[in-house]
Amino acid sequence: MIGVFDSGAGGRFALRELRRLRGDIDIAFLADEENAPYGERSEGELIRLVENDIKRLRSVGADKILIACCTASTVWDKLGAEYRRDTYPIIAPVARRALSVSRGGRIGVISTEATKRSGAFQGFIPDALCHAAPELVTLAESGACDGNLTESQRNIIKKAVEPFSGCDVDTLILGCTHFAYFEREIEGILGIPTVNSARVAAREMAKRVENEGSGKTVWLT
Ligand code: DGL
């Protein structure tokens, strides 16, 4: 069985996408809402939370685990060795996708504070323009999404992406899986392509797993 986890809404987006691509696999899903938002946690706290998420998913039989959260993925190389085994962080595939999409190599990253502070994306894209927008995590958790946004929610998004307008960024990484819900809105505002980390994560995992199971989903809370 595949395990998928995040602090909340971003993981649900990745799960939906993975399910769309692979109806045949069994998936255990964990949204650690009790400890959200992850983006405001220290590195030490994140390590403890991520190890615990992995432990919980393994306890219900998950043997390959997708870390459907950029913030949690930033501490992957600091986890104990047993927690790195068969667990898949998403920073590298997302950064690789952005490098292939970008025409001029001017890439922006919008993420949580913890992801920005970690320098994880800058490790792959040294001159990336990085900006944190924790208000979009709150917005996603409130249920807001593309196609269903009020004027004031639109304004919050517009303000959050302002640092990327008027500069020569040609591709924007939605470096927090929660931001997947605003992909269309952000592309509309900036007029540039985005790289949706939740979608990239799901696609990577879909390729990685063989036929296993009957398509059931086990929900952990
Ligand atoms: N979805 C998470 C990410 O991709 C972060 C949300 C949170 O701050 O809990 O970074």
Side-chain angles (χ1 to χ4, degrees), residues 6-24:
D6 175 39
S7 63
R12 279 190 281 278
F13 191 104
L15 172 68
R16 198 175 65 199
E17 187 70 8
L18 182 56
R19 187 46 91 207
R20 193 178 65 75
L21 296 167
R22 297 293 304 265
D24 55 334

Side-chain angles (χ1 to χ4, degrees), residues 76-145:
W76 182 82
D77 56 356
K78 300 192 174 75
L79 303 178
E82 72 273 30
Y83 297 101
R84 293 199 304 271
R85 182 176 38 82
D86 297 322
T87 62
Y88 301 97
I90 62 174
I91 302 294
V94 170
R96 274 199 301 270
R97 173 89 190 126
L99 287 164
S100 77
V101 167
S102 170
R103 300 205 158 187
R106 285 293 296 148
I107 297 171
V109 183
I110 187 163
S111 72
T112 64
E113 282 293 352
T115 296
K116 184 181 171 194
R117 184 187 65 220
S118 75
F121 280 109
Q122 298 94 310
F124 293 90
I125 311 163
D127 55 0
L129 175 63
C130 299
H131 175 69
E135 64 276 25
L136 296 189
V137 173
T138 313
L139 196 61
E141 285 296 338
S142 77
C145 63

Side-chain angles (χ1 to χ4, degrees), residues 6-7 10-11 36-40 68-72 112 115 137 175-178 197:
D6 175 39
S7 63
Y38 276 15
E40 286 169 25
C69 173
C70 294
T71 307
T112 64
T115 296
V137 173
C176 168
T177 52
H178 278 60
S197 56

